Amino acid sequence: MTENAWTRWPSQEALGRAGISRRRRMIAWAVRALVIVLLLWGAYNQKHVGIWSGLAAMAGVIAAALLAWAFYRTTYQHRLVPSLTLLAALMGLAVGAEAAGFRGLALVLWCGCGITALERLPLAAATPVTSVGLAAYSAFNNDVWLTTAASVVGMALAGYVLRLDAEARGNAQRLLTQERAARAAEAESAALAERARIAREIHDVLAHSLSAQLVHLEAARLLIENGADRERILERVVAARGMARDGLAETRQALSALRGDMTPLEDFLSELVSGCDGAEVTVTGERRPLPAEASQTVRRVAQEALTNVRKHAQGAKVQLRLDYREHEVTLDVRDSGGRPGELTGSGGGYGLLGMRERAELLGGSLDAGAGEEGFVVTLKVPV
């Protein structure tokens, strides 16, 4: 049978205690205890009750409590046959209480079965059970028919309202669980993205540093092969050592930048070209802080471009132009003049390719190619 509103169980979240406040649970237990006390008091207050009858009434109340507890457990597990069996046992206990003269206990059991069935069972099973329980209550109740009818209607509505309240609470609990799972997944995704970003940043820094070191080490190798003097060779080796030291420092700076501790981009570019003869920086547009990822991309592209100039256009004049626009920032690196580099084996040629991929991850672009006077690198990053 296709599950629908008549055959669907209330969810386990609705049938459980999750989402019920501590105060509400205490009130519910207090009401149950009061009902049991009133039933016992009503049983012992009857004049014809003797010792054995009183013990039987007490045993009946305890048995009803145990059966009710078992019914709550089986309905929570969505077990229909055991639940109906327990309700039948409770109604049979009510019939026995009526036969023994304990009408108050019987009426409470019939009403409780009718209301609880409507609250916790599928409607297709709850409707006949509620009808039987409230019909038995109507048959043995001594009130006038109008009062009895009003009581029956009120109890049926109470059971259905309790069902709606439980289902609303269950839906709220499911939404809360889903929200927590979504937050956990979002936090995990953010952590993975942060790890990837840090790994990419360290990769770019080390790739730039190692590439520059390779330039100097290759120059030292050529000098040794050509029989150059010791001072020139030592100069290249010291320069390679300095590049290694600078690479470590840049790695630390990159990690600090990713944590928000970042020097202004203009100052960084000025320091970058300070040790490069014939290089200058021009900044246009309204200066403003950039997001960490965008700022780091601009810095890495500038470093990679200058490294390529040193390798392939030694002695060239370099012009860096940083342009702040309304929705993006543009870095334009142009070199002119210079002489072709002699160190053809100094790099793998993947630096600008990695920078292009990095720019595309941010929704930007990177173009590199020969211009009229030299090589041109243009980076555009949305901010």
Side-chain angles (χ1 to χ4, degrees):
M1 179 183 294
T2 303
E3 187 179 73
N4 53 36
W6 284 93
T7 59
R8 184 179 65 247
W9 282 85
S11 64
Q12 289 188 332
E13 293 84 0
L15 298 178
R17 294 186 299 176
I20 302 178
S21 64
R22 180 181 179 87
R23 178 179 298 180
R24 185 173 175 178
R25 286 201 294 266
M26 292 179 63
I27 293 175
W29 280 109
V31 170
R32 295 187 185 105
L34 180 61
V35 170
I36 293 175
V37 170
L38 289 177
L39 289 175
L40 292 174
W41 178 82
Y44 281 104
N45 195 40
Q46 298 182 25
K47 295 181 180 180
H48 66 279
V49 174
I51 297 177
W52 294 109
S53 297
L55 293 176
M58 181 179 294
V61 172
I62 295 174
L66 293 176
L67 290 173
W69 176 82
F71 173 75
Y72 272 70
R73 297 293 300 175
T74 56
T75 52
Y76 180 77
Q77 298 169 359
H78 291 176
R79 300 169 61 192
L80 183 59
V81 174
S83 300
L84 293 177
T85 302
L86 290 169
L87 283 178
L90 283 169
M91 289 190 178
L93 189 61
V95 173
E98 174 65 27
F102 299 104
R103 176 163 296 178
L105 176 60
L107 294 178
V108 169
L109 288 176
W110 280 321
C111 294
C113 288
I115 294 174
T116 308
L118 200 57
E119 177 188 2
R120 301 182 67 87
L121 290 177
L123 288 177
T127 301
V129 173
T130 301
S131 300
V132 171
L134 296 184
Y137 167 82
S138 302
F140 291 96
N141 189 23
N142 293 328
D143 293 335
V144 297
W145 71 269
L146 186 60
T147 302
T148 301
S151 300
V152 169
V153 172
M155 285 185 286
L157 289 176
Y160 191 69
V161 168
L162 288 174
R163 181 189 188 90
L164 294 179
D165 177 70
E167 289 182 343
R169 177 167 46 81
N171 291 334
Q173 287 300 309
R174 284 198 299 274
L175 290 176
L176 181 60
T177 302
Q178 293 173 2
E179 182 181 359
R180 289 174 178 171
R183 288 182 178 178
E186 182 180 359
E188 183 178 359
S189 177
L192 292 175
E194 182 68 12
R195 290 177 186 175
R197 187 167 69 131
I198 293 175
R200 185 171 61 249
E201 189 64 39
I202 293 176
H203 168 270
D204 292 341
V205 171
L206 293 180
H208 166 76
S209 174
L210 293 175
S211 177
Q213 292 175 54
L214 192 57
V215 170
H216 291 287
L217 292 176
E218 184 68 12
R221 183 184 67 81
L222 292 176
L223 290 174
I224 293 174
E225 290 180 352
N226 295 329
D229 57 29
R230 181 175 178 276
E231 293 298 329
R232 294 183 61 190
I233 297 173
L234 183 60
E235 180 183 354
R236 290 294 184 175
V237 173
V238 171
R241 186 188 65 177
M243 287 294 177
R245 184 175 57 251
D246 293 341
L248 292 175
E250 288 178 8
T251 301
R252 297 190 186 98
Q253 291 174 3
L255 294 176
S256 299
L258 290 173
R259 297 187 180 99
D261 184 13
M262 187 180 300
T263 59
L265 181 57
E266 302 81 9
D267 296 344
F268 174 84
L269 295 179
S270 298
E271 293 177 2
L272 185 64
V273 302
S274 62
C276 184
D277 296 335
E280 60 180 9
V281 178
T282 303
V283 180
T284 60
E286 183 180 355
R287 302 185 183 187
R288 61 185 184 275
L290 300 179
E293 188 74 359
S295 178
Q296 286 298 97
T297 299
V298 174
R299 295 165 194 247
R300 296 286 83 82
V301 169
Q303 285 181 320
E304 185 66 28
L306 290 180
T307 299
N308 286 338
V309 170
R310 296 190 189 100
K311 290 194 296 184
H312 305 298
Q314 299 175 19
K317 295 181 179 179
V318 184
Q319 175 66 46
L320 281 77
R321 180 184 179 88
L322 181 64
D323 184 15
Y324 288 96
R325 301 179 182 179
E326 183 177 1
H327 299 296
E328 69 177 9
V329 62
T330 301
L331 176 68
D332 190 77
V333 183
R334 299 173 181 268
D335 66 78
S336 59
R339 60 186 183 278
E342 299 176 357
L343 309 177
T344 56
S346 60
Y350 294 103
L352 289 178
L353 177 60
M355 294 297 102
R356 180 178 291 110
E357 293 176 351
R358 180 168 182 163
E360 291 174 352
L361 287 175
L362 297 177
S365 63
L366 186 143
D367 298 320
E372 295 180 357
E373 299 180 355
F375 201 78
V376 181
V377 177
T378 302
L379 170 70
K380 295 181 179 180
V381 180
V383 292

